[in-house]
Amino acid sequence: MLSMDPSQETHIIDQATSDQKDDDHRHHHSNSTNPFAQMIQQPFQWLQMLSSELNPTFVLGVVIVYGLSQGFSGSYFRVVTDFYWKDVQKVQPSVVQLYIGLYYIPWVMKPIWGLLTDVFPVQGYRRRPYFVLAGLTGIISALMVALSDSLAAAVALTCLIGVMASVAIADVIIDACIARNSIEIRSLASDMQSLCGFCSSAGALVGYSTSGFFVHHLGAQGALGLLAIPPVFLTVLGFVIYEEGSTSLRSEKKKVVEEAGVAIRGMYKTIKCPQVWKPSLYMYLSLTLSISTHEGQFYWYTDPTAGPAFSQEFVGMIYAVGAMASIVGVLIYHKTLKDYPFRNLLFFAQLLYAISGMLDLTFILRWNLILGIPDYFFVIMEECVSRIVSRIRWMPMIVLSTRLCPLGIEGTFFALLMCIDSLGSLSSKWGGGVVLHALNVTRTDFTNLWLVILIRNVLRFSTLALIFLVPKADQFDVLIPSDLLTKNSAVTAVDDESLELVPMKEKIEV
């Protein structure tokens, strides 16, 4: 066996190390100059940044709640329940609109869920136990409606509301975490909303893509059984998400009631502030005035005589392409629009939203065929435009809502603002159902469907007159005074005379 001089061995090792460094440098340089590699790396670097600034389990919670629970379940639920009411329960579209409005009851109750999580801890934890509660509620409700034969419409509706309650409870918990992090680290507020938007759109893409397939092969009722899967992950999240337990939160009944009173008075004091109730009123009215015509259009889509007779798989594919378009809307907002003032951004977003609604009218009147555009191509184009504009319109509203939350009752107050939005959506569904019924749009008669959509579009344009309710401030500005509340938060429960709000650009040291 040949022996090697120690000096030669050292030289060879140094040379190999130098060569490896040169290779690493060239590899890094190649990646840094390759636009495609940079594009692939950016999302992972962004997630790594969020995980380091926040907490990895918080980011995981956003992915599960917004991606799996809201994104997948919400989109899958939308398509499968439409077919369930149409083919299994055989309900008129105007009645389905009223039923869908009832789905929003758990969302309207978000202040109650928020109050529970803020001031009624379980074993010293304010978030984790309620994730478990949300998961168990969703599992039981989904399995009941999927496995029970010949359910009465009222029982089926109750089960479906239970599925939505699971999503709503999980949403209010993670939103409380987001609102608090948005207060403590203001510079990441828009990034957190972008993460929520990305996860929601990605989950919706999967839900819409698979919904038609499962309806076709399992039937509408059997396909509902898959809605029991996301709540399982919510239950697991309740055990793994990071939260500091505190023995100080294990208060006696009297103290808990007192803290609840402080939170309620704080919400009442805050909502009376003009900087808060004006934008809240705008968000409610902008949703209410855009009446929903979804069920009338869905029945028309699948009608073999009056409509284009789209298949179950293609209906799901339409919404799946729309979910991809939503991701584009998130990218547009995140890259180019998050630095614009609220009022300017929401004005032009609402204007585009009203204009895009005319594409629905064009499709219902079949003008696309006169222009030589096939139904399949036109409906996908219309869905893409509508989703992009809707996402651009919605995201600044959510960022604006986080700007209105006082520290200490942020979960409860953000839930109150989302409750107002849910009331707007409920009003939109019921308003659309009333108009569909009044103009006699049924399972087989779509003669006046075009008029319903025209009325909806006119109402969308009328919302522009309310834009004065939105503040002119930039998205990083302080919107409400720091001495807004007359008593400190329920979390700290001290005897100060005011709850001070943290300046927008200041990071709290916890």
Side-chain angles (χ1 to χ4, degrees):
M1 184 174 181
L2 295 175
S3 60
M4 184 179 293
D5 185 84
S7 62
Q8 291 179 325
E9 183 178 353
T10 303
H11 175 73
I12 291 175
I13 294 175
D14 291 343
Q15 182 64 36
T17 305
S18 177
D19 292 343
Q20 180 64 40
K21 290 181 178 179
D22 290 342
D23 290 341
D24 292 343
H25 176 74
R26 285 193 296 269
H27 179 70
H28 175 76
H29 180 72
S30 175
N31 285 343
S32 63
T33 57
N34 189 337
F36 180 76
Q38 286 183 329
M39 183 177 66
I40 296 298
Q41 291 174 357
Q42 277 185 353
F44 296 100
Q45 293 171 348
W46 180 58
L47 285 174
Q48 185 178 13
M49 180 274 293
L50 289 178
S51 297
S52 62
E53 291 289 336
L54 304 167
N55 186 284
T57 59
F58 165 74
V59 176
L60 175 65
V62 172
V63 172
I64 291 178
V65 174
Y66 273 90
L68 194 57
S69 181
Q70 285 194 44
F72 174 80
S73 288
S75 58
Y76 186 87
F77 181 93
R78 177 184 178 187
V79 176
V80 176
T81 54
D82 279 346
F83 281 107
Y84 177 77
W85 291 120
K86 177 178 179 288
D87 299 334
V88 179
Q89 296 287 349
K90 301 186 183 302
V91 179
Q92 295 291 347
S94 58
V95 177
V96 178
Q97 288 271 165
L98 298 179
Y99 286 172
I100 292 176
L102 295 176
Y103 294 164
Y104 287 93
I105 289 178
W107 298 92
V108 173
M109 294 174 63
K110 285 183 71 172
I112 297 178
W113 313 134
L115 191 62
L116 287 173
T117 62
D118 275 343
V119 299
F120 288 93
V122 178
Q123 297 297 316
Y125 294 101
R126 295 190 295 161
R127 313 300 182 200
R128 300 174 70 175
Y130 293 100
F131 275 125
V132 176
L133 173 64
L136 294 177
T137 302
I139 293 170
I140 295 171
S141 300
L143 292 179
M144 281 186 62
V145 72
L147 300 178
S148 302
D149 295 329
S150 303
L151 275 181
V155 177
L157 179 61
T158 302
C159 291
L160 294 177
I161 291 174
V163 174
M164 283 292 97
S166 170
V167 179
I169 294 171
D171 174 76
V172 76
I173 301 169
I174 202 68
D175 280 348
C177 300
I178 293 170
R180 187 171 188 88
N181 285 331
S182 296
I183 294 170
E184 294 179 351
I185 310 176
R186 301 280 180 173
S187 60
L188 293 180
S190 297
D191 291 274
M192 282 183 273
Q193 292 303 325
S194 296
L195 176 63
C196 295
F198 280 124
C199 293
S200 177
S201 297
L205 174 61
V206 177
Y208 285 133
S209 300
T210 57
S211 57
F213 173 83
F214 285 112
V215 169
H216 180 76
H217 291 280
L218 300 178
Q221 184 171 359
L224 287 172
L226 294 180
L227 289 172
I229 296 176
V232 173
F233 286 88
L234 291 179
T235 305
V236 174
L237 180 63
F239 292 98
V240 301
I241 192 168
Y242 175 76
E243 180 184 5
E244 291 186 1
S246 175
T247 55
S248 63
L249 292 176
R250 299 172 184 173
S251 307
E252 62 277 6
K253 183 177 179 180
K254 180 179 179 181
K255 184 177 180 181
V256 170
V257 173
E258 180 181 338
E259 290 177 350
V262 171
I264 293 172
R265 289 193 297 271
M267 288 194 298
Y268 176 72
K269 184 81 173 182
T270 305
I271 201 67
K272 290 198 305 180
C273 179
Q275 295 96 318
V276 176
W277 70 258
K278 285 184 178 180
S280 300
L281 178 62
Y282 173 82
M283 287 186 279
Y284 170 78
L285 292 176
S286 68
L287 293 169
T288 300
L289 292 177
S290 180
I291 60 173
S292 173
T293 59
H294 169 73
E295 292 306 317
Q297 291 177 259
F298 170 77
Y299 277 58
W300 181 79
Y301 282 168
T302 56
D303 190 83
T305 55
F310 291 146
S311 66
Q312 296 166 337
E313 290 86 350
F314 187 73
V315 170
M317 193 56 60
I318 293 172
Y319 297 137
V321 174
M324 294 178 65
S326 292
I327 297 176
V328 175
V330 174
L331 285 171
I332 293 173
Y333 170 80
H334 182 70
K335 294 292 186 181
T336 63
L337 300 177
K338 64 180 182 179
D339 295 325
Y340 282 82
F342 283 115
R343 182 178 295 185
N344 293 346
L345 180 55
L346 286 173
F347 176 83
F348 287 105
Q350 182 65 33
L351 179 62
L352 289 174
Y353 186 59
I355 294 173
S356 67
M358 302 305 293
L359 293 174
D360 287 329
L361 185 62
T362 301
F363 190 40
I364 295 296
L365 295 174
R366 312 313 296 273
W367 290 348
N368 62 295
L369 298 179
I370 298 176
L371 297 172
I373 305 175
D375 288 337
Y376 290 86
F377 178 81
F378 189 87
V379 72
I380 289 177
M381 179 189 69
E382 180 273 329
E383 183 73 10
C384 288
V385 173
S386 175
R387 289 298 193 91
I388 291 173
V389 174
S390 296
R391 184 62 72 177
I392 292 174
R393 170 176 170 264
W394 178 246
M395 291 198 66
M397 289 188 183
I398 298 299
V399 175
L400 177 59
S401 296
T402 65
R403 292 289 185 265
L404 305 178
C405 297
L407 185 63
I409 56 169
E410 66 280 348
T412 307
F413 196 77
F414 190 83
L416 175 64
L417 296 178
M418 293 300 98
C419 165
I420 294 172
D421 288 352
S422 297
L423 282 172
S425 298
L426 185 150
S427 302
S428 170
K429 295 292 184 182
W430 283 0
V434 170
V435 176
L436 287 169
H437 180 75
L439 295 179
N440 197 34
V441 177
T442 66
R443 291 170 53 88
T444 55
D445 187 358
F446 305 97
T447 306
N448 293 325
L449 182 58
W450 71 271
L451 183 57
V452 176
I453 294 177
L454 179 62
I455 293 172
R456 181 203 69 182
N457 293 344
V458 171
L459 290 174
R460 286 184 180 182
F461 278 108
S462 68
T463 306
L464 294 171
L466 303 173
I467 199 65
F468 69 92
L469 295 170
V470 179
K472 295 180 179 179
D474 291 332
Q475 297 186 47
F476 296 99
D477 288 346
V478 177
L479 298 182
I480 49 180
S482 61
D483 57 347
L484 184 61
L485 302 182
T486 58
K487 199 167 185 178
N488 209 334
S489 68
V491 175
T492 54
V494 297
D495 294 329
D496 296 340
E497 287 300 313
S498 65
L499 174 65
E500 184 174 357
L501 295 179
V502 180
M504 188 66 66
K505 297 181 180 178
E506 180 181 331
K507 178 179 176 180
I508 298 177
E509 297 297 335
V510 181

